[in-house]
Amino acid sequence: MLNFTVDPAVLAPLLPAGTELDYFNGQTFLSVVGFVFLNTRVLGLALPWHRHFEEVNLRFYVRHQSIEGWRRGVVFVREFVPRTAIALVARVFYGEPYTALPMRHSIVDNAAGVSIEYGWRRGGKWESIGMNAPAGPPTVVAPGSHEEFITEHYWGYNAGRRTSEYRVEHPRWRIWPANAASFQADVATLYGQGFVEPLRAPPVSKFIAEGSPVRVFRKFDGPDEGTTRETS
């Protein structure tokens, strides 16, 4: 998770109706996030050759005032996965901006530390995000910290003809603070000209989150004024 500050004016045109930007210490953030789905099931079904795959996304942070109180969530600018069927299902079921690209990853976790890299290929050229962290166990995220703000969002929002909302469930993640990171990409063609300045600035934080079971519930239009559909 590679995190950058960003001018709220860059994000304002992308806000789904019914949401507002979520701030931490007066700042708004973008995150470039890479991870691997393992043992994936869609509507309870395990699809052959579609259970283990990479994803890299660019996201920012919002909140929505529901009848239950504030819901803190994320909005995805773009999401990359390696298989067309996965991208299609995500667009149909969640309305998310998924694109299928050739992808690869490497994960090394040994006595020397943790080293991770995710790559995707566009126009015959590989781009990547990578990170290194010292050896040792991951640490618990401190309540009220910047790291908690980045990792503890449990709702997704996207804008179409109507704003859609869905819930994400996972335990609190532990993290390794990274001592080095890289992000190699043509940002202007990847995400748009407005993201060049924030994503070319030094990141404000970089860390690797420990994996966990995750459930993503079915989306519904709203934002919600009731309860989540309990179908994952």
Side-chain angles (χ1 to χ4, degrees):
M1 307 183 81
L2 192 58
N3 309 298
F4 304 83
T5 57
V6 59
D7 186 335
V10 174
L11 305 178
L14 304 177
L15 275 174
T19 69
E20 61 184 58
L21 291 173
D22 200 1
Y23 289 78
F24 182 78
N25 288 344
Q27 295 180 308
T28 52
F29 295 89
L30 285 168
S31 297
V32 183
V33 180
F35 58 94
V36 176
F37 281 102
L38 296 174
N39 302 313
T40 305
R41 292 178 178 269
V42 179
L43 301 178
L45 302 177
L47 304 180
W49 305 292
H50 291 75
R51 299 192 66 196
H52 314 310
F53 55 90
E54 303 93 341
E55 178 177 322
V56 172
N57 64 61
L58 177 67
R59 72 187 202 180
F60 65 93
Y61 303 92
V62 300
R63 62 179 189 168
H64 161 62
Q65 179 71 68
S66 76
I67 58 175
E68 301 164 348
W70 285 108
R71 292 178 174 175
R72 300 179 59 238
V74 302
V75 175
F76 295 101
V77 178
R78 289 195 76 182
E79 299 167 88
F80 301 118
V81 289
R83 296 188 181 274
T84 301
I86 297 166
L88 179 62
V89 168
R91 289 196 297 265
V92 170
F93 281 93
Y94 294 98
E96 292 290 6
Y98 273 82
T99 300
L101 292 173
M103 298 186 71
R104 64 188 183 190
H105 76 279
S106 65
I107 300 175
V108 178
D109 184 2
N110 55 33
V114 181
S115 178
I116 299 179
E117 182 176 82
Y118 295 93
W120 58 95
R121 192 176 72 217
R122 296 189 303 138
K125 181 179 179 180
W126 283 96
E127 300 175 319
S128 66
I129 177 175
M131 210 169 284
N132 299 315
T139 59
V140 175
V141 172
S145 65
H146 164 80
E147 290 79 9
E148 181 186 58
F149 174 84
I150 295 295
T151 58
E152 298 296 307
H153 285 77
Y154 293 96
W155 295 88
Y157 295 94
N158 55 66
R161 287 179 296 178
R162 298 183 63 187
T163 297
S164 294
E165 176 182 61
Y166 58 90
R167 185 164 68 90
V168 180
E169 179 181 277
H170 64 78
R172 286 176 66 92
W173 287 329
R174 300 186 300 171
I175 64 170
W176 291 270
N179 52 17
S182 64
F183 177 41
Q184 304 293 328
D186 182 343
V187 173
T189 59
L190 188 65
Y191 297 127
Q193 190 63 41
F195 292 97
V196 171
E197 183 176 351
L199 293 179
R200 285 299 176 223
V204 296
S205 65
K206 48 187 182 292
F207 50 84
I208 299 169
E210 186 180 34
S212 74
V214 175
R215 295 180 71 193
V216 181
F217 293 83
R218 291 286 297 276
K219 78 164 187 175
F220 50 93
D221 292 332
D224 178 44
E225 293 301 337
T227 58
T228 305
R229 293 177 184 167
E230 297 298 312
T231 304
S232 60

